[in-house]
Amino acid sequence: MKRNSRLSAVLHALMHMAEREAPMTSDDLALCLDTNAVVVRRTMAGLREAGIVQSGRGHGGGWHFARPLADISLLDIYNALGEPIVFQIGPATEMPGCVVEQSVNRVIGEALKDAEAMLMARFAGTTLADLAADFRVAAKRCRADTG
């Protein structure tokens, strides 16, 4: 089963932007993500509509953050992407009149609802500044290991 990696890809792109002093073009970001610039523009347009990024045209133009990293949560990004499905598992629908299926669906549904609430709370409490700080520590450790 194919996983939806859009959130990871967008966070990857945003971390590249966070490390740059200047705006990044869609072509720059496409190279970072090994994808097409059209895909980048389409995705970034949703982030622009959510007030997360802005874009400039012409020489020196490109994508840049609309607000500080500490003011952008992972939940903001998740919501801007259209709230992708979190879990691939779900209730059965083959026998809706069956009491066993109803019980199974109720238990699974409650567990998934609780797990999703925990995940969304974690996303809400984690900012791009937190992610950038984690990346910088990991990069420093990597440089030290490769000497």
Side-chain angles (χ1 to χ4, degrees):
M1 186 178 306
K2 188 170 181 356
R3 292 178 187 245
N4 182 335
S5 60
R6 266 182 85 208
L7 179 61
S8 293
V10 167
L11 293 172
H12 183 148
L14 295 175
M15 287 302 95
H16 279 287
M17 287 174 54
E19 290 304 302
R20 287 260 181 111
E21 296 293 322
M24 291 184 73
T25 66
S26 297
D27 289 330
D28 293 335
L29 291 167
L31 282 172
C32 294
L33 299 173
D34 194 27
T35 192
N36 189 295
V38 173
V39 173
V40 171
R41 279 190 285 279
R42 188 174 35 239
T43 301
M44 296 300 276
L47 298 180
R48 180 181 52 218
E49 290 171 16
I52 294 167
V53 297
Q54 296 175 330
S55 62
R57 296 179 181 261
H59 181 70
W63 297 102
H64 59 275
F65 290 101
R67 38 191 223 251
L69 298 182
D71 294 344
I72 304 169
S73 73
L74 271 57
L75 184 60
D76 295 332
I77 308 294
Y78 173 81
N79 289 334
L81 293 176
E83 301 176 1
I85 296 172
V86 175
F87 301 110
Q88 295 293 329
I89 59 176
T93 58
E94 288 77 19
M95 302 184 71
C98 177
V99 178
V100 171
E101 184 173 285
Q102 292 170 9
S103 292
V104 168
N105 287 345
R106 185 173 39 261
V107 170
I108 288 174
E110 289 171 4
L112 290 173
K113 183 179 171 186
D114 291 348
E116 186 169 347
M118 288 174 55
L119 179 62
M120 294 306 119
R122 174 70 71 86
F123 282 179
T126 305
T127 68
L128 290 183
D130 298 327
L131 186 55
D134 183 79
F135 160 74
R136 289 181 188 115
V137 167
K140 185 182 279 188
R141 188 173 38 246
C142 184
R143 283 191 297 272
D145 289 346
T146 59

